[in-house]
DNA sequence: ACTGGCACCTGGGCGC
DNA sequence: TGCGCCCAGGTGCCAG
């Protein structure tokens, strides 16, 4: 599913088609996502204009008068703008119909995603404890260094922790650590300041490049325009365990950290 | 406070 | 062809 670049690609794909449009009807076919979709969501959205589509971490916010619909795509979700009468397939859980005959359709086979609501005067608890955006100036190597002191957790798990920095998922954590020359299993507290400064730059660079490429399509990711992402061909280590390192030829190692596949080159990463 | 592990769920790919 | 098993882009929550 989507990591930050795929969510941002989705946001860019759908926003030109839905911003400024009025929501005419919200159809909820299956409300049991990771959390139940609030029963009053249709009432809160219908008749409202979508003023803007924002992204915070991997959450998309559809801003309307009075609040915002919060959408998370989980591991397998996607959002597409389609004609309102487009045939409904399995796992097409929600349609947000618009006043031009189109609809924003939420599809999510594994149902790890979410559709929630927050009013103008509140912030949903899911959004309150998030770290900085990785592509903002609030995120840098100094922050990683400071927050990691005395931490024993593997540096890969550390940078995937939303309390530290948001939006770094398994693909890009592997890639950024390779580019920075840091082994994923190294204790976060033992990584030097200089290495963290390089790592922060590598995280920013790989995410920005992936956004430029329209995200990474492994199996089923499609952007809001229905096109796959092209970053997969740029991946240097993710999914390549047992294959040769593209830099030095050493066979890439694959281990599990926090139950997630972690691939690295024992020669290029220390 | 920190850590590791489990949970949620479907589907694809593999070996037998 | 079918079955069982393992794996997958996330992340909140729990016990120790």
């Amino acid at each position: 599913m989507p990591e930050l670049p795929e969510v941002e690609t989705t946001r860019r794909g759908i926003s030109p088609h839905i911003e400024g449009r009025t929501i005419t009807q919200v159809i909820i076919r299956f409300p049991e996502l990771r959390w139940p979709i609030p029963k009053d969501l249709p009432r809160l959205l219908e008749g409202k204009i979508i003023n803007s589509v924002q992204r915070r971490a991997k959450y998309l916010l559809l801003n309307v008068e009075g609040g915002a619909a919060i959408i998370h795509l989980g591991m397998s979700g996607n959002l597409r703008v389609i004609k309102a009468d487009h045939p409904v397939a399995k796992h097409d859980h929600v349609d947000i119909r618009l006043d031009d005959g189109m609809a924003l359709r939420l599809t999510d086979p594994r149902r790890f995603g979410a559709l929630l609501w927050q009013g103008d005067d509140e912030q949903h608890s899911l959004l309150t404890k998030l770290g900085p955006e990785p592509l903002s100036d609030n995120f840098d190597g100094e922050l990683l260094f400071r927050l990691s002191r005395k931490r024993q957790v593997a540096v890969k798990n550390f940078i995937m922790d939303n309390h530290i920095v948001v939006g770094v998922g398994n693909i890009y954590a592997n890639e950024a650590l390779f580019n920075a020359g840091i082994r994923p299993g190294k204790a976060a507290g033992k990584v030097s300041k200089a290495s963290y400064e390089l790592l922060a730059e590598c995280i920013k660079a790989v995410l920005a490049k992936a956004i430029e490429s329209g995200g990474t399509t492994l199996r089923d990711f499609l952007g809001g325009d229905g096109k796959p992402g092209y970053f997969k061909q740029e991946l240097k280590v993710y999914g390549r365990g047992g294959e040769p390192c593209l830099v030095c030829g050493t066979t890439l190692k694959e281990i599990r950290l926090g139950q997630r596949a972690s691939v690295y080159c024992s020669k290029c990463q220390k």
Side-chain angles (χ1 to χ4, degrees):
Chain A
M1 125 52 204
E3 293 195 35
L4 186 148
E6 293 74 53
V7 176
E8 179 62 21
T9 295
T10 297
R11 189 191 70 76
R12 294 181 184 187
I14 65 174
S15 54
H17 303 288
I18 70 172
E19 279 181 357
R21 303 248 64 106
T22 297
I23 296 170
T24 56
Q25 189 184 13
V26 177
I27 300 170
I28 298 172
R29 300 189 188 85
F30 197 93
E32 303 300 319
L33 302 184
R34 182 163 190 193
W35 297 280
I37 297 172
K39 287 199 167 53
D40 56 351
L41 196 76
R43 178 180 62 78
L44 290 161
L45 292 177
E46 286 168 5
K48 303 286 172 56
I49 295 170
I50 299 173
N51 292 317
S52 62
V53 184
Q54 284 181 298
R55 181 187 58 73
R56 171 71 175 112
K58 297 172 191 167
Y59 296 94
L60 288 172
L61 303 175
L62 304 192
N63 291 307
V64 301
E65 182 190 0
I70 302 171
I71 299 172
H72 195 287
L73 298 176
M75 290 275 266
S76 58
N78 71 74
L79 276 175
R80 293 182 63 191
V81 177
I82 44 118
K83 288 185 179 165
D85 61 359
H86 192 85
V88 174
K90 202 176 177 183
H91 309 307
D92 289 345
H93 304 313
V94 179
D95 279 8
I96 297 176
R97 291 194 170 186
L98 306 170
D99 60 353
D100 61 350
M102 305 296 280
L104 181 66
R105 178 165 289 178
L106 172 64
T107 304
D108 184 5
R110 292 177 72 180
R111 308 206 300 270
F112 289 173
L115 173 54
L116 300 164
W117 170 263
Q118 73 178 6
D120 273 339
D121 55 346
E122 56 187 348
Q123 186 173 37
H124 198 283
S125 59
L126 290 174
L127 302 179
T128 56
K129 292 177 181 173
L130 297 174
E133 287 291 323
L135 294 172
S136 75
D137 291 340
N138 296 326
F139 171 67
D140 60 19
E142 196 281 328
L143 174 101
L144 290 179
F145 181 73
R146 180 162 43 84
L147 296 181
S148 63
R149 292 310 85 189
K150 300 187 178 173
R151 294 285 305 269
Q152 301 300 308
V153 69
V155 61
K156 175 163 174 276
N157 295 347
F158 179 69
I159 61 172
M160 291 176 70
D161 181 343
N162 278 341
H163 302 101
I164 306 301
V165 57
V166 301
V168 183
N170 199 35
I171 298 176
Y172 303 110
N174 277 299
E175 295 299 306
L177 286 162
F178 175 79
N179 292 335
I182 303 167
R183 289 200 190 191
K186 186 166 179 172
K190 295 194 171 171
V191 175
S192 71
K193 178 100 178 277
S195 288
Y196 271 127
E197 284 175 352
L198 178 57
L199 178 57
E201 291 310 309
C202 289
I203 289 170
K204 289 172 187 279
V206 76
L207 293 176
K209 186 78 196 316
I211 291 170
E212 271 181 46
S213 304
T216 298
T217 295
L218 295 180
R219 276 169 289 278
D220 50 12
F221 171 73
L222 298 175
D225 55 4
K227 291 181 185 160
Y230 295 100
F231 196 72
K232 184 178 182 191
Q233 56 211 62
E234 314 267 343
L235 299 177
K236 295 178 186 161
V237 290
Y238 181 85
R240 298 194 60 246
E243 297 178 37
C245 172
L246 297 174
V247 171
C248 74
T250 301
T251 300
L252 295 174
K253 292 197 173 173
E254 180 156 343
I255 59 174
R256 297 195 78 76
L257 293 171
Q259 296 94 242
R260 308 201 92 82
S262 307
V263 186
Y264 67 98
C265 172
S266 58
K267 187 173 174 194
C268 295
Q269 291 170 263
K270 297 298 179 190

